[in-house]
Amino acid sequence: MTLHADVGRNRNSETKACFATHLECSKTGEHYPLGTLHGLSRVGAPLIVRYDLKALGDTLSKEDIARRPPDMWRYREFLPLGPEIEPISLGESITPLIRLPTVENSLNCAEVLVKDEGRLPTGSFKARGMAVAVSMAKSLGVKRIAIPTAGNAGSGLAAYATRAGIESFVFTPADTPEITASEIAFHGARAWRVDGLVGDCAKIVAEGTEEMGWFDLTTLKEPYRVEGKKTMGLELAEQFGWSLPDLIFFPTGGGVCLIAMWKLFHELREIGWLEGPLPRMVAVQSTGCGPIVKAFEAGKTEVEPWENVTTQIHGVRVPNPLGGSLVLDVLYQSNGFGTLVDDNAVNQMRARICAEEGLHLCPEGAACLVALEIERETGRVGPGDRVVVFNSASGLKSPMPPMTQNLHKGHEVDYSIL
Ligand SMILES: Cc1ncc(COP(=O)(O)O)c(C=O)c1O
């Protein structure tokens, strides 16, 4: 493992072959070439990147990966960047798996691990998708990008676009947490609050494309953010010795991470790197916005828009996810399921884990632990299961209860009341 600073260093000396062969329409299977800019397919469905996995498996070994620097680019052959493309990087280090002993005890569950994505640049997992999407956009000559966002994708885009010398326009709901909204503007994006939900922001981006000439980076409207998010699954597999946990809980808005990891697990399986079964994938949503879970419970293959959004768990406030049917496929294929959680329970869980385990989760990460608690009750999670819960962002990006206790210098301190 190389320990020296690597960010910003030209890494083309470690030449990586590219095994991406083409893009494929997720609905019709129609092929599209690499090397040009793409949005949705001709029928309006997301495009999926395909690879020559046989050649990848014949060329690369797990040992090769183990010798590389500890960041997401150690998995470069699983990404669509051609060998000539220099990644736009801000230091995407491997995120840790942190065990939660008090949760294991209270839920009588063999192993509960948090994969803490809050350690990434801009404090969330969105950095992974942005690092790859912005690298690809830059290489394809994009000068201007726009995005609708619940917040974290916006700050991720703003940072990576700035790093790449690309202009960014970010539209986020008016009540996006202050820190994230400020972060977007602070990174140099043209940032706008919109008095609506992320769908209203998406409309502004879509309708402005012709006049503004920007590239639309809306979730699943371009093919490369998904590829970047596969690195979560690659890290997890490597951290588990090239096997996987029994269940993965992920807070689900657009659902890209579930789609990305499931795609990756099949790629790994096809090249023969994975021991044991694939995990059951669990979509965690809110009782105040749970369109994917509702469709899953009804046995449907398409998602209907959620009418009345009431949750304040910002990351899961996506009432009409574009890739809803792809997420449902993942749940069905993996023998997984979906769980709805309540905002109050989430806030209590966040406070408890912070105080009891020393780990500051974002509300979306805490939502996954509430879901785990519910599913231990229902029995969908058994006592012997190894569970990984994703903390999708740093807890520091969301508001905390204020600290209001003051002492006055010069006054005698009554130590007995501290
Ligand atoms: C902290 C956090 N968690 C989870 C999500 C949901 O991610 P996705 O929309 O890819 O399902 C988001 C999306 O904004 C988020 O910001």
Side-chain angles (χ1 to χ4, degrees):
M1 192 176 277
T2 313
L3 294 175
H4 55 78
D6 222 27
V7 180
R9 184 168 75 83
N10 186 315
R11 298 184 64 167
N12 271 345
S13 51
E14 307 152 25
T15 300
K16 311 285 188 294
C18 178
F19 296 95
T21 51
H22 62 279
L23 298 150
E24 193 179 287
C25 172
S26 56
K27 214 166 214 163
T28 64
E30 188 186 358
H31 287 198
Y32 292 73
L34 294 166
T36 55
L37 210 53
H38 292 289
L40 294 173
S41 75
R42 248 179 284 280
V43 297
L47 289 175
I48 314 279
V49 182
R50 295 294 180 206
Y51 296 81
D52 181 348
L53 293 170
K54 165 92 179 59
L56 195 165
D58 287 347
T59 311
L60 183 73
S61 71
K62 297 171 189 172
E63 294 71 30
D64 291 332
I65 288 181
R67 281 191 290 271
R68 292 179 180 169
D71 64 28
M72 67 178 255
W73 305 105
R74 74 205 254 117
Y75 309 112
R76 173 132 177 196
E77 285 84 347
F78 290 88
L79 300 174
L81 280 73
E84 74 293 353
I85 299 176
E86 186 57 33
I88 307 297
S89 175
L90 290 163
E92 301 74 20
S93 45
I94 304 290
T95 62
L97 280 173
I98 299 161
R99 205 161 171 170
L100 295 185
T102 69
V103 176
E104 287 171 2
N105 283 340
S106 67
L107 296 185
N108 181 26
C109 198
E111 210 171 330
V112 178
L113 296 158
V114 172
K115 186 149 173 71
D116 190 5
E117 296 283 296
R119 320 291 174 104
L120 287 163
T122 69
S124 90
F125 73 107
K126 299 281 181 181
R128 298 176 184 274
M130 290 306 161
V132 171
V134 172
S135 297
M136 292 301 287
K138 168 110 176 149
S139 76
L140 294 168
V142 171
K143 301 272 185 287
R144 189 178 254 200
I145 298 180
I147 197 170
T149 172
N152 286 317
S155 57
L157 171 64
Y160 283 91
T162 291
R163 184 88 180 169
I166 293 175
E167 199 181 10
S168 61
F169 290 75
V170 177
F171 302 88
T172 193
D175 61 354
T176 294
E178 207 52 53
I179 293 178
T180 307
S182 304
E183 186 191 14
I184 295 168
F186 208 38
H187 274 305
R190 310 266 194 100
W192 295 92
R193 292 181 186 271
V194 177
D195 57 349
L197 292 168
V198 74
D200 302 294
C201 301
K203 193 160 173 274
I204 293 172
V205 171
E207 290 176 356
T209 299
E210 200 175 317
E211 183 175 337
M212 298 298 286
W214 55 41
F215 182 57
D216 182 347
L217 212 71
T218 301
T219 302
L220 288 173
K221 267 200 178 175
E222 69 77 56
Y224 302 121
R225 284 173 67 189
V226 173
E227 295 302 300
K229 288 181 182 174
K230 287 190 328 194
T231 58
M232 275 187 294
L234 279 155
E235 283 181 25
L236 197 58
E238 195 180 3
Q239 286 167 318
F240 270 77
W242 299 102
S243 68
L244 290 166
D246 297 304
L247 292 113
I248 292 178
F249 282 68
F250 208 98
T252 303
V256 174
C257 291
L258 291 173
I259 298 168
M261 281 193 278
W262 194 241
K263 176 177 190 278
L264 178 267
F265 296 156
H266 283 87
E267 290 171 356
L268 285 178
R269 186 166 249 190
E270 204 169 319
I271 60 173
W273 280 18
L274 275 185
E275 304 282 331
L278 298 187
R280 302 174 71 193
M281 307 294 275
V282 183
V284 178
Q285 295 201 302
S286 162
T287 49
C289 184
I292 292 173
V293 178
K294 187 175 170 203
F296 177 82
E297 293 293 341
K300 297 200 169 135
T301 53
E302 298 286 337
V303 172
E304 280 166 26
W306 187 272
E307 289 302 337
N308 183 20
V309 174
T310 53
T311 181
Q312 283 303 310
I313 307 168
H314 294 264
V316 305
R317 285 198 316 181
V318 183
N320 192 16
L322 177 65
S325 58
L326 297 175
V327 182
L328 287 170
D329 286 347
V330 174
L331 303 187
Y332 292 126
Q333 285 171 23
S334 70
N335 191 26
F337 49 89
T339 311
L340 296 180
V341 300
D342 164 82
D343 281 25
N344 286 333
V346 169
N347 293 335
Q348 281 168 26
M349 180 64 82
R350 183 172 168 228
R352 176 187 144 195
I353 300 302
C354 204
E356 285 184 9
E357 299 270 15
L359 188 64
H360 191 176
L361 303 174
C362 63
E364 293 80 358
C368 291
L369 284 176
V370 175
L372 174 60
E373 197 169 58
I374 292 170
E375 300 301 352
R376 274 297 289 127
E377 287 266 305
T378 63
R380 287 203 277 201
V381 179
D385 281 332
R386 294 189 311 171
V387 180
V388 168
V389 160
F390 274 81
N391 183 45
S392 41
S394 163
L396 291 171
K397 301 191 83 175
S398 294
M400 285 167 261
M403 198 284 264
T404 54
Q405 304 204 99
N406 298 296
L407 290 175
H408 302 291
K409 65 177 178 186
H411 290 201
E412 204 172 324
V413 175
D414 178 358
Y415 287 95
S416 69
I417 60 135
L418 297 184

